[in-house]
Amino acid sequence: QDKYDIAMICKGFQHQFWQAVKAGAEKAGAEFGATITFEGPETESQVDRQMDMLAAALSRGPDAIGFAALDSQAAIPLLQQASAAGIPIIAFDSGVDSDIPLSTATTDNVAAAALAADKMAELIGNSGKIAVVAHDQTSRTGIDRVEGFTNRIKEAHPNVEVVTVQYGAGDQLASTEITKSILLANPDLKGIFGANEGSAIGVANGKQELNSNVVVIGFDSGAAQKAMVASGLMNGSITQNPVGIGYETVKAAVAALKGETVPKIVDTGFYYYDAANMNDPEIAAVLYD
Amino acid sequence: MTTNLVEMVDIDKSFPGVRALAKAHFELKPGEVHALMGENGAGKSTLMKILSGVYARDAGDIRLDGQNVEIASPRQAQDLGIGIIHQELALMRDLTVAQNIFIGREPRRFGILDEGQLNRDAAAIFASMNLALEPTVRVETLTIAKQQMVEIAKALSYRSRVLIMDEPTAALNDAEIAELFAIINRLKAEGVGVVYISHKMDEIKRISDRVTIMRDGEYVGTVPAADTPIETIISMMVGRTLSGDTLVVPDTSAAPIALEVRNLNRGREIRDVSFAVRKGEILGFAGLMGAGRTEVARAVFGADRRDGGEILVHGQPIAITSPKDAVDAGIGYLSEDRKHFGLATGLDVRNNIALASLDRFTGLGGILDEAGMEQKAVGYIRQLAIKTPSDVQEARLLSGGNQQKVVIAKWLLRDCDILIFDEPTRGIDVGAKSEIYKLLNALAGQGKAIIVISSELPEVLRLSHRIAVMCEGRLTGFLPGGASQQDIMRLATLRPSAVAEQSIERRST
Amino acid sequence: MTDTAAPAQNTGPRISGAFHRLLAFSGLIALVVVFSLASPNFMQTQNVLAILQATSVNGVLAIAATLVIITGGIDLSVGTLMTFCAVIAGVLLTYLGLPLPVGVVGAILAGVCCGLVSGVVVAKLKVPPFIATLGMMLILKGLSLVISSTKPIYFNDTPGFTQISSGSIVGSIFPALPIPNGVLILFGVALLAAFVLTKTALGRYTFALGSNEEAVRLSGVNVDRWKIAVYAAAGGICGVAGLLIASRLNSAQPALGQGYELDAIAAVVIGGTSLAGGRGTILGTLIGALIISVLANGLRILSVPQEWQTVVTGAIIILAVYADILRRRSL
Amino acid sequence: MTDTAAPAQNTGPRISGAFHRLLAFSGLIALVVVFSLASPNFMQTQNVLAILQATSVNGVLAIAATLVIITGGIDLSVGTLMTFCAVIAGVLLTYLGLPLPVGVVGAILAGVCCGLVSGVVVAKLKVPPFIATLGMMLILKGLSLVISSTKPIYFNDTPGFTQISSGSIVGSIFPALPIPNGVLILFGVALLAAFVLTKTALGRYTFALGSNEEAVRLSGVNVDRWKIAVYAAAGGICGVAGLLIASRLNSAQPALGQGYELDAIAAVVIGGTSLAGGRGTILGTLIGALIISVLANGLRILSVPQEWQTVVTGAIIILAVYADILRRRSL
Ligand SMILES: Nc1ncnc2c1ncn2[C@@H]1O[C@H](COP(=O)(O)OP(=O)(O)OP(=O)(O)O)[C@@H](O)[C@H]1O
Ligand SMILES: Nc1ncnc2c1ncn2[C@@H]1O[C@H](COP(=O)(O)OP(=O)(O)OP(=O)(O)O)[C@@H](O)[C@H]1O
Ligand SMILES: [Mg+2]
Ligand SMILES: [Mg+2]
């Protein structure tokens, strides 16, 4: 066996988050001797397009498949097909309602968003109005982060009120416009949570265009967001460890192919970073451009 | 006296900026052919569109068999037994001939269209019209003349009590006109009332019983066709008498050749056509429908591909691969199908007139000289008596004949040395027609070389200094100006075998 | 859109009709040949079935779009209408616990009703089809989210539901050929639509409307009624697509659908139907939809990087249509 | 699409031209009035400026689309072409470190070149505009990702770059009225486009092509050349949009742009331009673009839940166009 062929089917492709997952996967590929193909649909709602990608990957007959499910159930028949063909499946980012995946490399989005809620409450002095600009109303990450955030506010910070949750499809420009509308409609707003990279950057942009001093907590990293956090435009942000997710997925796949046992869950963790701590080696390692 | 089948009383109709009808009158008896005459824009089509439910009248009464009726839609008109052949072809180009004829009344079996029956029914109608037309061909591929025949067949298929024909013969040649008249006579015998609109004066005498004349949307009078001299009808139409000028054939034999076409060929449509036109000469092209005259003109103009042939302008061979090349070489071509090939219907009159010469009105930075364009447009509107509220009226809102004048103005403005006019007077009234004849003669007098393609033999005879006759894609011969109709018809029906013999003869001499 | 007339006509020897009909597939065949040579996995039964199944939803949507486009209109709402119908099926089957046939009929009826509304807006209010169906697209997108409370509705209580698309009646008879039912349904819808278009009055008026609506009106035909019928029929077909996608995902995904209209319309136009109306075939649309799926699948099988997949797809769509134009010109 | 002639015409007293021109804005004005009444925040200077700025990118794209649509074509590539031009600016300014004017000119030139290619494919190869620009849309989307290595390109080394859109020359003179430059650029492009459309030969041919291309060809006009010129001009305008969006985001985001074409075309059609070609105005397009932004902004200001925003937007787009149809009919 020269090199393993591992197909990674993601939830997206063009976002920096997924590019970071890809980088991690390729890093592991280089280390463990695997070639990686990497694909994802246009938006996180296109569940059926992801099925087509998975089906095409199955036809190609890779040695293993890494799969980040857009819907926890829809792919089960195809995964059964894969497992019948003896192709090991490693889930990543979010899990599947099935025990077919040998391992799942993921972050707890609900807990990560709850951490964002705590930080937000802390920065606005534990009272006042805040808003959420999220990327997707129906995708797992969208739901988990919005609910994780709003539920935590409700439970732990009774004096903080989420006045509105709006969705900008992760499009920076759309998120900018949304943010400006929210700020203009709620002059007393104290903070906004941007629930993914595009949303967070959009929120910061909107804040800047209106010269507002609202508190902004973001999610994910990427060069722009890092710069915004460093400059203080964004007060802080939550980052997952996408490079780690990609790396662990491929690592688990190769281990499974070699017949080694793999852990059922690999938690790659999440971190809060702000201007103060972002240069700490431990944090800097999980931030990506 | 029989009761009137149709009576239209004091009909008014206005469009934005135009009073199309003012207290118009019309009546029709059963078994009568009633001609409706008037200049372009007199309101003939509008009046008949009101009768056939296309337009709603502003005021007035319509009576059918003496009963007041409201005709709110074409469907209702059909139900009342009123059929119409519109002046502007209203066909579905992507459908077949038979499908067009029976649209809305398709024969069905168990809810499924019975295409066989449909085609048989259409074929039966064509047979009764002595028309050789395949029911299954798509309308788009037909020449206008054939499309016009399809419209006629469609109107006949309704078996209406009132049949309105708005310039049905504008695109037809003599043989087809004769066929149509035979049909009309048959209908007349069956008691159908026929409204007949035409600008061809000879037809009025031949077919109609009475003539109603309109001018500027108003009723002028109704006269019996048989005992009213044509001159009287014309003066009622135009409000003055027209002088009929006669053909003078100038001697152009010494003039240089402006356009020469050598061995033009394309498949079966154009076979080895060669001819030349001198400066100051009007060369007429005669032939039956489908003889290939339009094809030749389009091929010369670069609008269609050609397989072979040389074109020389002022003695120089010119490579013409597109209309632009032709126009650059000083050739203009007025198409026989103004709606599809002549007019940018969405643009206004001014811009349609300027369309072929826009570069002349383009100044620094591509900016257009609107004032200059307006001046030219207004000039032509006056010269050709184009009936339009202003030069910024959209061209599609003009009456058919006035649209044709706009296209003529376009080519006059372009000022080409060589002008090819394909059916230039199609749909144009007598008054304007004689104006256009004068114009063509004047252009020839200025040294322009002119080709006139016309299916109206009198027109060819009246205009041409020399006549080329075509049959089935071949040039079957040239005749001098003033030749007899018989000579033309002989050449126009010369069969291929005969042509072959002739060409052998020509080569051997 | 302007119909660029191609006046120049060849008069060379005419190729036989059957051969020419085959040539219409040339773009598709060329793609299949290239991918088969490039990858041994491409022509495997399993992959061919995967391609067909990937075509089923877009194919059905494209058939719906074809009807409307032949009338000279356009339907931007096919994608979100599909989703809306899927959600309706979810509500009927999962929320209300009604039996499977009710869900199936309900979804299709929902499609017909929405199509009816679009049709009325276009025909009676004279709103341009682009705007009427754009509005519908947004309205249905929103309503799907409202009705489903922005959550997928699963069909776990209706075990037969996944069989609609993913089961295989053919496979249960010929185990070697497990053609998914979804593919059969696609072909069934195609046959039905082709029948309606060529053999019934509705089809005749569909072409007539696109060819010259004014002439149809002047012929005394109730133009509005037939136009509305076409939009309603297209809506019903979108309902079928909704069932297919919901069955395949075993869930009604309320956020899905926008953007699908573009793929559907692309399939229609690649298949030779003119956006100006008046001409088009269901066979062409099927070929168009297949070209899109084969391209997507083939490039994936070859492991072309995703960004290059996009570039190549764009270039090949243009080339496929250009090849078809050349073929027609040589006709 | 078929032009449904409305033969039954009112001939009542004619309303004065100026009043009618005002009525063209009626949909927009009605929206503004409703939102102003519903929320005191709506008519604040800052919010008005926010709406205008939100219109700038879509407005410029819609102007580009207007030109092509008047010729009877369609341009689906405006969104991804915008992105492509932004990426080109990024490559020139950030990767190659060239001075700002080079980046600006380069982005616009890139747009012109891509438009030229689309134009040639449409005019010379006779590929339908829908397909040609759909292909271009995908090609440019892919190329943007390839060139940028799927990463945003930041303009941090070119400090003046953000001023293009977000700076305010007006604000530096009248501090009370900080109209962002992006808005000025939108109006500048609109004025230029309106001038070209109404006063120059290019504009006249644009309308003529959409009205009857064959008649223009037979008038001896080099139809291909003018058509290509229109696509190229539209491409250049997309280049301006690329600069605007990149400047606003201080980065070229290679993945953005798809989907923007629909908003742009919607603005054009809402503004009364016919997809059949031959008629349309830049003013109408501006109003269309403003209607879209006002609607989005107003609904957000009112904190309408997102799914209902979508529903209402769809309904109001239909109503706005219907109101315009009623107004014209009463003309
Ligand atoms: N829909 C319309 N809108 C505006 N003006 C119109 C419309 N239809 C006809 N007109 C005008 O009404 C007048 C009468 O037109 P109509 O078509 O009835 O003339 P016509 O007698 O049939 O002329 P022709 O012999 O040229 O066909 C013309 O001035 C024409 O420009
Ligand atoms: N679009 C077309 N498609 C197929 N055949 C055509 C087409 N146009 C013309 N033809 C055929 O080409 C031949 C020449 O037609 P053309 O129109 O040139 O004749 P014409 O002499 O100008 O006659 P007229 O103008 O009186 O109809 C005829 O046989 C005609 O049927
Ligand atoms: Mg008339
Ligand atoms: Mg002819």
Side-chain angles (χ1 to χ4, degrees), chain B residues 131-145:
Chain B
L131 178 62
L133 196 55
E134 200 50 51
T136 52
V137 302
R138 290 200 318 161
V139 159
E140 193 180 38
T141 65
L142 297 177
T143 55
I144 305 204

mmCIF file of all heavy atoms in Angstrom, chain B residues 131-145:
data_model
loop_
_atom_site.group_PDB
_atom_site.id
_atom_site.type_symbol
_atom_site.label_atom_id
_atom_site.label_comp_id
_atom_site.label_asym_id
_atom_site.label_seq_id
_atom_site.Cartn_x
_atom_site.Cartn_y
_atom_site.Cartn_z
ATOM 1 N N LEU B 131 -54.738 25.361 -52.975
ATOM 2 C CA LEU B 131 -53.470 25.835 -52.428
ATOM 3 C C LEU B 131 -52.592 24.623 -52.121
ATOM 4 O O LEU B 131 -53.009 23.692 -51.446
ATOM 5 C CB LEU B 131 -53.744 26.623 -51.138
ATOM 6 C CG LEU B 131 -52.542 27.168 -50.386
ATOM 7 C CD1 LEU B 131 -51.791 28.165 -51.244
ATOM 8 C CD2 LEU B 131 -53.005 27.846 -49.097
ATOM 9 N N ALA B 132 -51.377 24.640 -52.668
ATOM 10 C CA ALA B 132 -50.449 23.537 -52.394
ATOM 11 C C ALA B 132 -49.639 23.886 -51.164
ATOM 12 O O ALA B 132 -48.661 24.627 -51.243
ATOM 13 C CB ALA B 132 -49.538 23.319 -53.593
ATOM 14 N N LEU B 133 -50.075 23.407 -50.017
ATOM 15 C CA LEU B 133 -49.362 23.724 -48.784
ATOM 16 C C LEU B 133 -49.449 22.514 -47.880
ATOM 17 O O LEU B 133 -50.510 21.911 -47.718
ATOM 18 C CB LEU B 133 -50.014 24.949 -48.113
ATOM 19 C CG LEU B 133 -49.222 25.667 -47.037
ATOM 20 C CD1 LEU B 133 -47.860 26.087 -47.553
ATOM 21 C CD2 LEU B 133 -49.986 26.899 -46.564
ATOM 22 N N GLU B 134 -48.320 22.152 -47.326
ATOM 23 C CA GLU B 134 -48.240 20.997 -46.440
ATOM 24 C C GLU B 134 -48.787 21.417 -45.068
ATOM 25 O O GLU B 134 -48.293 22.374 -44.486
ATOM 26 C CB GLU B 134 -46.764 20.617 -46.343
ATOM 27 C CG GLU B 134 -46.442 19.224 -45.887
ATOM 28 C CD GLU B 134 -47.197 18.144 -46.640
ATOM 29 O OE1 GLU B 134 -47.177 18.148 -47.892
ATOM 30 O OE2 GLU B 134 -47.814 17.323 -45.939
ATOM 31 N N PRO B 135 -49.795 20.726 -44.509
ATOM 32 C CA PRO B 135 -50.338 21.151 -43.216
ATOM 33 C C PRO B 135 -49.348 21.033 -42.073
ATOM 34 O O PRO B 135 -49.512 21.663 -41.036
ATOM 35 C CB PRO B 135 -51.508 20.189 -42.987
ATOM 36 C CG PRO B 135 -51.804 19.594 -44.310
ATOM 37 C CD PRO B 135 -50.539 19.600 -45.092
ATOM 38 N N THR B 136 -48.299 20.221 -42.246
ATOM 39 C CA THR B 136 -47.416 19.939 -41.107
ATOM 40 C C THR B 136 -46.157 20.794 -41.091
ATOM 41 O O THR B 136 -45.303 20.610 -40.236
ATOM 42 C CB THR B 136 -46.988 18.465 -41.130
ATOM 43 O OG1 THR B 136 -46.477 18.179 -42.429
ATOM 44 C CG2 THR B 136 -48.147 17.551 -40.829
ATOM 45 N N VAL B 137 -46.026 21.752 -42.026
ATOM 46 C CA VAL B 137 -44.813 22.564 -41.950
ATOM 47 C C VAL B 137 -45.009 23.684 -40.931
ATOM 48 O O VAL B 137 -46.124 24.130 -40.681
ATOM 49 C CB VAL B 137 -44.412 23.187 -43.314
ATOM 50 C CG1 VAL B 137 -44.201 22.117 -44.343
ATOM 51 C CG2 VAL B 137 -45.437 24.208 -43.762
ATOM 52 N N ARG B 138 -43.895 24.094 -40.360
ATOM 53 C CA ARG B 138 -43.992 25.168 -39.376
ATOM 54 C C ARG B 138 -44.115 26.518 -40.076
ATOM 55 O O ARG B 138 -43.428 26.782 -41.068
ATOM 56 C CB ARG B 138 -42.772 25.165 -38.467
ATOM 57 C CG ARG B 138 -42.786 23.948 -37.539
ATOM 58 C CD ARG B 138 -41.907 24.145 -36.357
ATOM 59 N NE ARG B 138 -40.651 24.772 -36.724
ATOM 60 C CZ ARG B 138 -39.881 25.374 -35.865
ATOM 61 N NH1 ARG B 138 -40.228 25.443 -34.610
ATOM 62 N NH2 ARG B 138 -38.748 25.911 -36.254
ATOM 63 N N VAL B 139 -44.995 27.345 -39.541
ATOM 64 C CA VAL B 139 -45.298 28.628 -40.157
ATOM 65 C C VAL B 139 -44.043 29.470 -40.340
ATOM 66 O O VAL B 139 -43.883 30.162 -41.337
ATOM 67 C CB VAL B 139 -46.329 29.377 -39.285
ATOM 68 C CG1 VAL B 139 -46.300 30.853 -39.573
ATOM 69 C CG2 VAL B 139 -47.708 28.807 -39.514
ATOM 70 N N GLU B 140 -43.133 29.369 -39.389
ATOM 71 C CA GLU B 140 -41.924 30.174 -39.422
ATOM 72 C C GLU B 140 -41.158 30.018 -40.731
ATOM 73 O O GLU B 140 -40.490 30.941 -41.187
ATOM 74 C CB GLU B 140 -41.053 29.708 -38.260
ATOM 75 C CG GLU B 140 -39.908 30.600 -37.938
ATOM 76 C CD GLU B 140 -39.153 30.016 -36.771
ATOM 77 O OE1 GLU B 140 -39.018 28.777 -36.717
ATOM 78 O OE2 GLU B 140 -38.744 30.777 -35.906
ATOM 79 N N THR B 141 -41.222 28.823 -41.313
ATOM 80 C CA THR B 141 -40.420 28.573 -42.498
ATOM 81 C C THR B 141 -41.105 29.057 -43.771
ATOM 82 O O THR B 141 -40.542 28.927 -44.851
ATOM 83 C CB THR B 141 -40.130 27.076 -42.644
ATOM 84 O OG1 THR B 141 -41.385 26.399 -42.867
ATOM 85 C CG2 THR B 141 -39.493 26.494 -41.396
ATOM 86 N N LEU B 142 -42.295 29.605 -43.661
ATOM 87 C CA LEU B 142 -43.028 30.016 -44.858
ATOM 88 C C LEU B 142 -42.705 31.454 -45.240
ATOM 89 O O LEU B 142 -42.389 32.278 -44.387
ATOM 90 C CB LEU B 142 -44.536 29.917 -44.604
ATOM 91 C CG LEU B 142 -45.094 28.534 -44.303
ATOM 92 C CD1 LEU B 142 -46.577 28.644 -44.001
ATOM 93 C CD2 LEU B 142 -44.858 27.602 -45.468
ATOM 94 N N THR B 143 -42.825 31.735 -46.526
ATOM 95 C CA THR B 143 -42.715 33.126 -46.969
ATOM 96 C C THR B 143 -43.979 33.857 -46.509
ATOM 97 O O THR B 143 -44.983 33.238 -46.161
ATOM 98 C CB THR B 143 -42.648 33.199 -48.497
ATOM 99 O OG1 THR B 143 -43.783 32.520 -49.025
ATOM 100 C CG2 THR B 143 -41.393 32.527 -49.020
ATOM 101 N N ILE B 144 -43.916 35.195 -46.538
ATOM 102 C CA ILE B 144 -45.073 35.941 -46.052
ATOM 103 C C ILE B 144 -46.310 35.606 -46.870
ATOM 104 O O ILE B 144 -47.398 35.530 -46.337
ATOM 105 C CB ILE B 144 -44.905 37.447 -46.230
ATOM 106 C CG1 ILE B 144 -43.658 37.927 -45.600
ATOM 107 C CG2 ILE B 144 -46.051 38.157 -45.596
ATOM 108 C CD1 ILE B 144 -43.824 39.394 -45.267
ATOM 109 N N ALA B 145 -46.110 35.425 -48.169
ATOM 110 C CA ALA B 145 -47.273 35.157 -49.021
ATOM 111 C C ALA B 145 -47.982 33.902 -48.527
ATOM 112 O O ALA B 145 -49.208 33.872 -48.388
ATOM 113 C CB ALA B 145 -46.818 34.978 -50.460
#
